[in-house]
Amino acid sequence: MATVAVFVALGGSSYAAVSLAKNSVGSRQLRNGQVKKPDLARSAVTSAKVKNGSLLAADFKAGQLVAGARGATGPKGDTGPQGLPGADGSKLQAASIRTVVGPTVSVPADTGSTAGAKDAFASCAAGETVIGGGFIRGDFNEAFATISSPDPNNPGRWFVRILNYSISTVDVQATAMCVKTV
């Protein structure tokens, strides 16, 4: 019985292949996306059959597209800003970057408002410039920094304002990245 089923199945597809008239299968009979590259005859897609402007540079192999002539040199741009200068206009030594950790600040529980916020600072030494910073939290309670920036009142230190939404006190330390000037 299984052999008969195989012959019927094979015979059915063979029948379809021999019973269709030449050129009787067209766009209407094909499902979208079903014709693949191996189904196309060699040289079936020619330049005349490709819509102008429809190909991208990515559709071509390296070296197939000819480079155009080099354009004229544009005008010189404005001088960009200098790197981080020291307070006295000197240059910074990138090799002398160091991280400073400020003193521990205990933020009481449930101070989740600006009235209950605590500030922490980390200061650079004389002759250093603060270029970045952040804070270290002593645990994983719900304490958040609402401000983490250079101190607007002292350019040599980093400023962090902490709110504590947790049910316990959180210990926090501000950190500063300092660069020595030469």
Side-chain angles (χ1 to χ4, degrees), residues 87 98-103 105 118-135 147-161 173-179:
R98 69 185 187 103
T99 301
V100 175
V101 179
V105 174
K118 292 287 185 171
D119 296 340
F121 301 94
S123 298
C124 296
E128 293 181 327
T129 301
V130 65
I131 60 169
F135 73 101
I147 300 172
S148 183
S149 68
D151 186 349
N153 300 317
N154 183 342
R157 69 181 183 178
W158 196 260
F159 163 59
V160 180
R161 177 162 290 153
Q173 292 173 289
T175 60
M177 291 181 64
C178 303
V179 177

Side-chain angles (χ1 to χ4, degrees), residues 40-45:
L40 298 175
R42 186 175 184 90
S43 300
V45 179

Side-chain angles (χ1 to χ4, degrees), residues 67-145:
R70 183 175 179 95
T73 302
K76 183 174 172 100
D78 296 334
T79 302
Q82 293 291 350
L84 295 170
D88 58 358
S90 59
K91 295 180 182 175
L92 300 177
Q93 285 182 336
S96 65
I97 296 175
R98 69 185 187 103
T99 301
V100 175
V101 179
T104 300
V105 174
S106 293
V107 184
D110 199 22
T111 57
S113 70
T114 53
K118 292 287 185 171
D119 296 340
F121 301 94
S123 298
C124 296
E128 293 181 327
T129 301
V130 65
I131 60 169
F135 73 101
I136 302 169
R137 208 168 46 194
D139 53 34
F140 295 100
N141 287 323
E142 296 181 23
F144 301 95

